[in-house]
Amino acid sequence: MAIHGLGQLDKTYDGSKLRIGILHARWNKEIIDSLVKGAHDKLLEFGVKEENIIIESVPGSFELPFGTKKFSEKWDKQGKPLDAVIPIGVLIKGSTMHFEYICDSVSQKIMDLSFELGKPIIFGVLTCLTDEQARQRAGLGGHNHGADWGLAAIEMATKFDL
Ligand code: RBF
């Protein structure tokens, strides 16, 4: 059992029929790229087809909640709904209160979105005090949390016969 990270799944999940969206912010790009790759590769490992992993971006983490809503609704309208969305962002504390406000509001709104949209919206936002903490959590020296978010999306999109 991993101390940090999801560790073992409760059973094996088949992602072959799923369509999963990844919506990432572009701030802190090196870290974002690694998290997106971690999630993407884990989705492939669990059978999600490459063409059913839809990746889109927004400027920063603040844009993730609204972007996720619009991203999901766009595919609903086209008759090719996403079964889950993984919003990915990296917030790093600076010298103002910006970090505190954004962390709180973005986290709360991402949680609300699952209920609003009726589908799993995974919490793929790192809220770190330093660049080094973010790198460690993005597979750049430590465990890649993006992989856990990919697994969480597959489990949540499969488990409750949504
Ligand atoms: N976006 C992030 O995704 N991560 C950050 O660490 C981050 N830091 C920011 C710091 C400041 C002072 C400002 C003004 C914006 C920051 N943003 C960050 C961008 C923010 O999420 C958003 O894209 C912009 O504020 C435009 O709405």
Side-chain angles (χ1 to χ4, degrees):
M1 178 62 76
I3 295 174
H4 297 294
L6 186 54
Q8 286 173 324
L9 284 171
D10 53 352
K11 62 180 185 125
T12 298
Y13 291 94
D14 172 20
S16 63
K17 294 190 177 63
L18 298 178
R19 274 168 64 73
I20 309 285
I22 296 176
L23 183 74
H24 67 84
R26 296 192 299 272
W27 272 67
N28 306 306
K29 188 173 183 310
E30 186 194 359
I31 297 166
I32 288 282
D33 287 350
S34 185
L35 290 165
V36 169
K37 184 173 179 347
H40 172 268
D41 290 357
K42 191 56 82 174
L43 294 175
L44 286 182
E45 188 186 322
F46 276 73
V48 183
K49 298 189 179 75
E50 180 75 62
E51 65 267 28
N52 288 331
I53 303 173
I54 296 91
I55 301 181
E56 186 54 88
S57 74
V58 289
S61 294
F62 185 77
E63 281 72 39
L64 283 173
F66 186 68
T68 297
K69 181 175 161 71
K70 290 295 165 189
F71 185 40
S72 175
E73 288 175 348
K74 173 189 151 184
W75 287 106
D76 286 348
K77 275 187 216 142
Q78 295 191 15
K80 293 160 84 179
L82 302 170
D83 296 294
V85 181
I86 311 173
I88 295 183
V90 176
L91 284 158
I92 299 176
K93 188 169 168 59
S95 51
T96 67
M97 289 297 289
H98 184 268
F99 175 81
E100 281 77 4
Y101 287 114
I102 300 257
C103 286
D104 268 9
S105 53
V106 169
S107 308
Q108 184 62 57
K109 194 60 203 172
I110 287 177
M111 184 182 281
D112 293 347
L113 274 176
S114 289
F115 294 90
E116 212 175 289
L117 300 173
K119 64 181 68 173
I121 308 299
I122 304 306
F123 185 58
V125 181
L126 293 183
T127 56
C128 297
L129 300 178
T130 63
D131 288 5
E132 186 50 30
Q133 280 184 352
R135 294 176 63 80
Q136 285 292 329
R137 285 155 185 76
L140 301 167
H143 174 70
N144 190 335
H145 284 247
D148 293 343
W149 302 336
L151 277 180
I154 291 173
E155 176 174 338
M156 290 301 290
T158 311
K159 197 163 220 169
F160 304 109
D161 300 323
L162 297 167

